[in-house]
Amino acid sequence: MRITNIDSLEKLFLILVTYTTHQLITIEMNIPDPNKIFPLPDYNKLCFLKNIVKNPNIIIGDYTYYDDFDDVHNFEKNVKYHFDFVGDKLIIGKFCMIASDATFIMNGGNHQTKALSTYPFNIFGGDWSDAMDGKTYPFKGDTVIGNDVWIGHNAKIMPGISVGDGAIIATNATVTKDVEPYTIVGGNPAKPLRKRFSEEQIRILLDLKWWDWQIEKITESVQILSGNDLDALRNLVND
């Protein structure tokens, strides 16, 4: 291909330089591999969760990890009443931290609370099989966990709950209501304990959505992300 136009040649040169620079930066960076099951050397009690989950109705984002006292494969065992015929999903975002024995109760565990009896007669068949004709069990939708969420040991999350980005679920909490972004909740039932940041700071963080940045940019920003200087993070974006 012959390029006679000087402007076109300059543009091509800039594209090549930009691409080459990006490739060199990527090669030089030692970025953890999100597709690696066990990211810590010689330690198999913590995994990048998306790499071990088999159920297609459990969707996990990159770099979300699960740490189990015994076996990381216990995670799916702790997603309870998750029946294919119900069709609900457990969706967990990126960069979440999930501690051992965290449990997700799905819609298959719901019973009728407005009927005279909560007993599920129909599942046992026979002359009881038509007990639910014209009726349905409660369905509260998918369970959705945002990004950068920390779920503590033995926490329980009930069906259809939405947990906002940056939230923290305390150890032994039972979450029965949606959790707002960057809110710490604890107790049974879980209640808000405090916000992690001011409303203005939360708005900025939600606008920045750092977890959706290119991994090279996140890697360049880990010192800032590990601190509490929000202005530095915002300036990084504006540079």
Side-chain angles (χ1 to χ4, degrees):
M1 180 180 69
R2 176 180 291 179
I3 299 176
T4 58
N5 186 293
I6 297 299
D7 288 341
S8 297
L9 187 60
E10 289 177 346
K11 288 178 182 178
L12 178 60
F13 177 75
L14 287 172
I15 289 171
L16 289 172
V17 168
T18 301
Y19 175 78
T20 303
T21 302
H22 179 268
Q23 292 298 103
L24 286 172
I25 290 172
T26 302
I27 292 170
E28 291 175 359
M29 286 182 169
N30 184 12
I31 300 173
D33 182 358
N35 298 312
K36 194 171 185 178
I37 296 177
F38 300 114
L40 303 182
D42 304 316
Y43 187 72
N44 64 359
K45 300 296 176 65
L46 183 149
C47 70
F48 282 151
L49 188 54
K50 72 169 190 175
N51 302 308
I52 67 163
V53 167
K54 306 299 184 185
N55 190 326
N57 285 330
I58 301 176
I59 301 166
I60 312 290
D62 284 351
Y63 294 104
T64 284
Y65 72 75
Y66 174 61
D67 190 6
D68 193 279
F69 297 143
D70 299 312
D71 184 347
V72 294
H73 294 91
N74 286 331
F75 178 82
E76 284 194 74
K77 296 178 183 178
N78 291 333
V79 181
K80 307 292 189 182
Y81 309 109
H82 198 196
F83 305 128
D84 291 344
F85 62 84
V86 176
D88 53 346
K89 292 180 171 61
L90 171 59
I91 302 169
I92 301 176
K94 304 172 186 176
F95 295 95
C96 291
M97 303 136 278
I98 306 174
S100 187
D101 296 325
T103 301
F104 301 85
I105 309 296
M106 305 301 286
N107 285 281
N110 290 335
H111 291 238
Q112 290 200 103
T113 58
K114 296 182 179 179
L116 299 178
S117 172
T118 59
Y119 196 85
F121 293 98
N122 65 303
I123 69 172
F124 298 104
D127 288 342
W128 295 0
S129 60
D130 61 355
M132 285 295 292
D133 286 0
K135 313 177 191 74
T136 57
Y137 288 106
F139 183 83
K140 299 183 179 181
D142 296 335
T143 298
V144 181
I145 312 299
N147 305 280
D148 192 24
V149 173
W150 178 18
I151 301 176
H153 168 59
N154 202 43
K156 292 179 175 58
I157 297 178
M158 302 304 286
I161 292 296
S162 177
V163 176
D165 298 321
I168 297 175
I169 312 300
T171 294
N172 293 322
T174 298
V175 181
T176 61
K177 294 182 179 180
D178 291 350
V179 179
E180 293 185 357
Y182 291 95
T183 301
I184 302 173
V185 301
N188 183 7
K191 295 180 180 179
L193 302 177
R194 65 177 176 87
K195 295 281 190 179
R196 294 180 57 198
F197 306 105
S198 70
E199 292 296 339
E200 174 64 13
Q201 290 172 321
I202 290 172
R203 183 190 64 77
I204 292 169
L205 284 164
L206 293 176
D207 286 344
L208 288 175
K209 297 184 184 296
W210 66 263
W211 43 82
D212 286 336
W213 295 353
Q214 293 291 324
I215 193 59
E216 293 82 10
K217 185 178 182 66
I218 293 174
T219 301
E220 292 169 351
S221 308
V222 293
Q223 285 284 348
I224 295 173
L225 289 168
S226 299
N228 57 9
D229 189 347
L230 183 56
D231 287 337
L233 187 66
R234 187 162 46 178
N235 291 337
L236 182 69
V237 175
N238 293 331
D239 287 344

